[in-house]
Amino acid sequence: MSTTTNDRVLQLFKESDALLQGHFKLTSGKHSEWYFEKIRLIEKPAALEKIIDLLVEKIKAESPDFDYVVSPAYGAIAIGFLTALKLGKKFAFTQRVEEKMSFRSGFSGIDGSRAIIVEDILTTGGSIQEVVACLKERNVAIPGIYVLVDRTGGAVPIEGKPVGGLLALKIEAFEPDVCPFCQKGIPLIKPGASDKKV
Ligand SMILES: [Zn+2]
């Protein structure tokens, strides 16, 4: 993926208000220049569609052979569904049933098929690993794993292979006493703390 494409994707995320740049207090208590508010992607379908168009281009270019797009509930359902629609493939989602990632029983055609996984953000890879395990139980081959945003900057391979991130963005978080944005006196924003408009 070229830098130009990364920049274009970054711009689309900013336009959708899903990616905010400023000075944020994360739930960990650390401070960061970036905050990802993924609910905005679903809230603004037209903005999401432009991002998905780029993901679709990437998947087409890499041309994995597959039948299904599979995404974990709930945040990635709209993302995976739109991707499947544009690629002319089937779609299925996984959800946690008593803590275990599972398919809804209605997705009967998934067994023994080929599926790519599409997820919104790669942070630790935990939920994708769970989807992989779920697909393997159903004897599904996985020729590709894609995320819109790879927050690890390629540092977390899954099943020994790199994940196809549309946007690679290594988000640095700082302890408050060494935060460069605090030192510059930039006002700190605690996301979700109020109904503020951003
Ligand atoms: Zn700070």
Side-chain angles (χ1 to χ4, degrees):
M1 189 113 303
S2 69
T3 308
T4 321
T5 308
N6 210 54
D7 290 348
R8 199 167 141 215
V9 179
L10 188 61
Q11 192 54 40
L12 286 174
F13 272 106
K14 284 183 176 174
E15 283 172 16
S16 76
D17 290 330
L19 186 64
L20 309 177
Q21 192 172 16
H23 181 200
F24 301 96
K25 184 176 182 182
L26 306 177
T27 47
S28 64
K30 290 182 177 177
H31 296 184
S32 173
E33 181 183 8
W34 298 97
Y35 186 73
F36 203 79
E37 203 151 32
K38 62 183 183 181
I39 201 73
R40 297 274 173 264
L41 291 175
I42 297 190
E43 193 175 45
K44 298 181 174 174
L48 176 61
E49 186 180 23
K50 287 184 193 168
I51 296 168
I52 296 298
D53 282 341
L54 294 175
L55 180 66
V56 164
E57 272 179 35
K58 179 177 170 65
I59 295 170
K60 279 184 177 166
E62 294 173 6
S63 62
D65 172 23
F66 64 100
D67 313 298
Y68 276 86
V69 175
V70 171
S71 298
Y74 289 93
I77 290 179
I79 293 162
F81 182 87
L82 193 50
T83 305
L85 177 66
K86 287 178 177 272
L87 287 165
K89 304 292 185 181
K90 293 178 187 169
F91 174 74
F93 65 88
T94 60
Q95 63 184 155
R96 285 206 177 80
V97 178
E98 290 167 359
E99 310 270 302
K100 188 181 188 300
M101 197 71 93
S102 312
F103 277 104
R104 286 288 289 264
S105 56
F107 293 122
S108 55
I110 195 96
D111 292 8
S113 67
R114 296 174 66 81
I116 61 165
I117 298 170
V118 171
E119 167 68 305
D120 43 24
I121 307 174
L122 177 68
T123 306
T124 64
S127 62
I128 295 177
Q129 294 280 16
E130 288 179 69
V131 177
V132 167
C134 181
L135 288 169
K136 284 185 165 177
E137 273 180 20
R138 310 290 287 259
N139 197 26
V140 177
I142 309 166
I145 299 174
Y146 295 89
V147 295
L148 295 186
V149 183
D150 178 2
R151 288 183 52 170
T152 75
V156 179
I158 297 195
E159 296 289 290
K161 284 180 282 186
V163 172
L166 193 58
L167 174 68
L169 185 71
K170 188 128 179 63
I171 298 184
E172 267 191 284
F174 303 92
E175 294 296 347
D177 57 347
V178 294
C179 173
F181 309 105
C182 282
Q183 285 163 16
K184 283 183 201 156
I186 298 168
L188 183 67
I189 300 161
K190 189 165 185 290
S194 67
D195 289 324
K196 70 189 179 339
K197 294 284 175 278
V198 287

